[in-house]
């Protein structure tokens, strides 16, 4: 039987990545508490970072939806991961300066995109729906790999953005980035395999 190398990350590298994200969150969350520039620029920076994170999460939700639309047999496997991404979107949006009403508990696929906290966050996401639907590969395994790549690249981007994020947002981004790394692993692993 020939040996083939898998393209999944090892458990050790996944744990090392999670430890790196946690370390970055701890360092990014530290501040001396003094400095008047936090009062002037901290709120707008945090708001911009949150809005960008919400837009990124909404684009990822659209990729999940496009993948399920192209491969309905993957719907059960992708449902919990998509649900987590929807909750991340809500957590990033709700903790920001603009708070919304009862929309975070409704994570249905149709009502979530219409319940965005700001019109500017939902407009670019709606415009990006067509390209992500066309980008779904024809084979289910390739579609899962493409979705895992999207999760992985978003997790890496969020890890990089930790350096400039205010404390609480840095902790939230670190948690969401770690979850995205786990999603990437789960998307490329064999379902039902023992861990």
């Amino acid at each position: 039987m020939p040996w083939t190398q898998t393209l999944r990350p090892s458990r050790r590298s996944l744990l090392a990545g999670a430890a790196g994200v946690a370390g970055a969150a701890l360092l990014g969350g530290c501040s001396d508490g003094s400095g008047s520039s936090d009062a002037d620029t901290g709120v707008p920076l945090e708001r911009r970072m949150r809005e960008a994170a919400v837009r990124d999460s909404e684009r990822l939700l659209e990729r999940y939806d496009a993948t399920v639309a192209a491969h309905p047999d993957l719907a059960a496997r992708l449902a919990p991961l998509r649900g987590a991404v929807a909750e991340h979107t809500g957590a990033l949006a709700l903790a920001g300066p603009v708070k919304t009403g009862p929309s975070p508990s409704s994570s249905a696929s149709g009502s979530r995109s219409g319940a965005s906290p700001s019109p500017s966050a939902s407009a670019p996401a709606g415009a990006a729906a067509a390209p992500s639907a066309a980008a779904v590969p024809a084979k289910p395994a390739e579609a899962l790999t493409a979705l895992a790549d999207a999760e992985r690249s978003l997790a890496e981007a969020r890890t990089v953005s930790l350096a400039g994020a205010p404390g609480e947002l840095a902790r939230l981004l670190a948690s969401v980035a770690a979850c995205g790394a786990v999603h990437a692993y789960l998307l490329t692993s064999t379902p039902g395999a023992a861990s």
Side-chain angles (χ1 to χ4, degrees), residues 58-77:
E58 287 174 343
R59 278 189 230 117
L60 186 59
L61 281 173
E62 290 170 356
R63 288 194 68 130
Y64 272 95
D65 293 341
T67 302
V68 169
H71 303 286
D73 53 326
L74 296 176
R77 182 174 179 182

Side-chain angles (χ1 to χ4, degrees), residues 63 67 70-71 74 135-148 187:
R63 288 194 68 130
T67 302
H71 303 286
L74 296 176
V136 177
K139 295 181 181 178
E142 292 173 1
L144 288 174
T145 302
L147 199 53
L187 286 165

Side-chain angles (χ1 to χ4, degrees), residues 59-192:
R59 278 189 230 117
L60 186 59
L61 281 173
E62 290 170 356
R63 288 194 68 130
Y64 272 95
D65 293 341
T67 302
V68 169
H71 303 286
D73 53 326
L74 296 176
R77 182 174 179 182
L78 297 179
L81 302 177
R82 189 207 178 277
V85 173
E87 289 189 20
H88 297 157
T89 305
L92 288 164
L94 285 179
V98 178
K99 297 196 180 214
T100 59
S103 64
S105 63
S106 64
S107 61
S109 61
S111 65
R112 180 64 200 138
S113 62
S116 295
S118 69
S120 64
S122 62
S132 56
V136 177
K139 295 181 181 178
E142 292 173 1
L144 288 174
T145 302
L147 199 53
D149 290 343
E151 282 273 15
R152 192 175 296 112
S153 65
L154 183 55
E156 290 171 3
R158 286 183 171 155
T159 302
V160 169
S161 70
L162 288 175
E168 186 62 32
L169 179 59
R171 288 184 284 277
L172 181 58
L173 287 173
S175 296
V176 173
C179 192
V182 172
H183 285 185
Y185 173 76
L186 292 173
L187 286 165
T188 57
S189 66
T190 305

